[in-house]
Amino acid sequence: MSVKPRLRRGVRLTYDKVRETHVLLYPEGVLVPNKTAAAVLELCDGESTVADITAALGKHYRGVQEADVNGVLSRLVERRVVEWL
């Protein structure tokens, strides 16, 4: 898939030191992504394709599949925090 995901306008991924986890801040609230989703979100820059994100994650984690990355991104698109370019 050659589309490029990015965080929607007004959405920000940050690290919450109190909770010791990443949080996704958006106008309607806060989402606490799991570690997998946070790793994907960190790479959603609007420049990297899903294949690029999969390759980058594959350098740090074993068994990363493009279909799995697409699945994570699809759920985040449904939540309206990520958009496709």
Side-chain angles (χ1 to χ4, degrees), residues 23-63:
V23 293
L24 196 60
L25 307 173
Y26 58 103
E28 294 84 23
V30 176
L31 179 66
V32 180
N34 63 29
K35 289 183 180 188
T36 302
V40 172
L41 285 163
E42 287 181 316
L43 299 170
C44 290
D45 57 9
E47 299 294 323
S48 301
T49 64
V50 174
D52 296 335
I53 292 170
T54 302
L57 291 172
K59 293 178 183 177
H60 302 285
Y61 307 101
R62 284 162 69 178

Side-chain angles (χ1 to χ4, degrees), residues 8-37:
R8 292 181 69 95
R9 175 182 255 162
V11 177
R12 185 170 52 107
L13 181 67
T14 187
Y15 189 80
D16 184 334
K17 292 179 184 176
V18 173
R19 294 181 188 164
E20 296 183 349
T21 190
H22 283 92
V23 293
L24 196 60
L25 307 173
Y26 58 103
E28 294 84 23
V30 176
L31 179 66
V32 180
N34 63 29
K35 289 183 180 188
T36 302

